[in-house]
Amino acid sequence: MAKAAPAEQLKLLELQGLDARLKGLANRRRTLENDPRIKDLEAALTVANGELGAAKVAVHDAEAELKRAEADVEQVASRIQRDEARLNSGTGLSKDLVALQKDIVSLNKRRSDLEDAELEVMERLESLRERQAAQQQIVDDIQGSFGTIRAELDAALAEVETEAAGIRSQRTDFAAGLDATMLAVYEKTLAKRGVGAARLFHGTSEASGMKLSPGDLAEIKAAAADEIVFCPDSGAILVRSDEWS
């Protein structure tokens, strides 16, 4: 059985206190790193970016449609201009000039219809652009919130790390002065059980929070004062003192 002087074993409680603080900071770090607001904003940003992408595609398609409509109007307008020039020249047979007049009337009707369609596309494009701008604002707002929260969490994480670094340094210095054999037992117990050492206080293990059975208490009381004993429930080292009996 591993042994260490009772006074040396008492030092394990201070070491355990430092480890408990480190564990608390590690839990705090995990909580900060898994802040639900980040996941919520990431999900919202994914949806918003998807809708923004769809809005951009709709604007792009409408712009292409407007270009085609403008080209159609320009093509008909050019033909009307040519036909009017021929008609105004007065050259050609009368029947040809009559046919040309009818063609111009038909082309003007066609241009009017095309201009109406062009106007409809322009109005729709304006609405789509407004929708895209509104969706872009939503994305910008979410990214702004994300940045604010991320900065807040990063600052909190930096504080946690600064505090943890100080405690780790303190722990290293403190552990260097402990009995090597006892420290090795403690470290192994801490890694395996999550708690390295705790008081045996009025028959109760502070590692498990359970009162020990009469048989377990009798066995521990029978052990030498320098013998390292363990909690039968948690497996942690039990630190004893006559004052805590």
Side-chain angles (χ1 to χ4, degrees):
M1 296 291 291
K3 295 185 177 183
E8 194 72 9
Q9 292 187 41
L10 282 172
K11 295 178 182 178
L12 289 179
L13 296 179
E14 185 173 347
L15 183 62
Q16 178 61 62
L18 294 173
D19 285 330
R21 289 172 64 189
L22 287 173
K23 183 176 181 180
L25 289 171
N27 290 336
R28 171 64 174 158
R29 184 184 300 110
R30 281 192 293 272
T31 298
L32 291 170
E33 290 172 344
N34 295 286
D35 191 304
R37 293 176 298 171
I38 293 296
K39 291 184 178 180
D40 290 344
L41 285 173
E42 286 175 342
L45 187 59
T46 297
V47 173
N49 275 326
E51 293 181 357
L52 177 59
K56 288 180 177 179
V57 170
V59 168
H60 178 272
D61 291 346
E63 288 174 340
E65 186 179 354
L66 179 59
K67 287 182 180 179
R68 291 193 297 270
E70 291 172 340
D72 290 342
V73 170
E74 184 178 353
Q75 184 179 21
V76 172
S78 296
R79 185 173 172 184
I80 291 174
Q81 187 177 11
R82 289 196 304 270
D83 286 354
E84 286 179 340
R86 286 178 57 194
L87 182 63
N88 293 333
S89 69
T91 59
L93 299 175
S94 60
K95 66 175 183 178
D96 292 336
L97 296 176
V98 171
L100 198 57
Q101 286 178 326
K102 290 182 178 180
D103 191 36
I104 291 173
V105 171
S106 177
L107 286 171
N108 278 319
K109 176 64 170 61
R110 172 63 175 161
R111 181 171 65 178
S112 178
D113 291 342
L114 288 172
E115 286 174 343
D116 288 344
E118 180 185 13
L119 181 60
E120 185 277 329
V121 175
M122 290 175 67
E123 291 174 346
R124 180 155 46 86
L125 177 57
E126 182 179 359
S127 176
L128 290 172
R129 282 173 173 165
E130 289 175 354
R131 176 191 167 196
Q132 178 183 335
Q135 193 60 40
Q136 181 67 61
Q137 186 60 53
I138 291 174
V139 169
D140 292 345
D141 289 345
I142 293 174
Q143 289 177 331
S145 297
F146 186 93
T148 298
I149 293 174
R150 185 69 268 172
E152 172 192 323
L153 293 175
D154 287 345
L157 284 167
E159 289 180 4
V160 168
E161 181 52 37
T162 297
E163 184 177 353
I167 296 173
R168 284 194 295 267
S169 177
Q170 183 181 349
R171 185 191 191 279
T172 298
D173 292 342
F174 184 76
L178 298 181
D179 177 87
T181 300
M182 180 189 71
L183 179 61
V185 174
Y186 171 86
E187 297 285 16
K188 183 177 180 180
T189 304
L190 178 67
K192 185 176 181 180
R193 306 292 184 178
V195 176
R199 290 195 306 175
L200 176 60
F201 191 72
H202 297 301
T204 296
S205 165
E206 292 189 344
S208 66
M210 302 289 292
K211 191 171 185 63
L212 272 62
S213 68
D216 289 331
L217 278 175
E219 185 176 341
I220 289 174
K221 287 180 179 180
D226 64 350
E227 186 175 329
I228 295 177
V229 298
F230 299 88
C231 171
D233 296 311
S234 69
I237 296 171
L238 285 179
V239 179
R240 297 160 289 161
S241 170
D242 291 339
E243 298 176 3
W244 304 335
S245 298

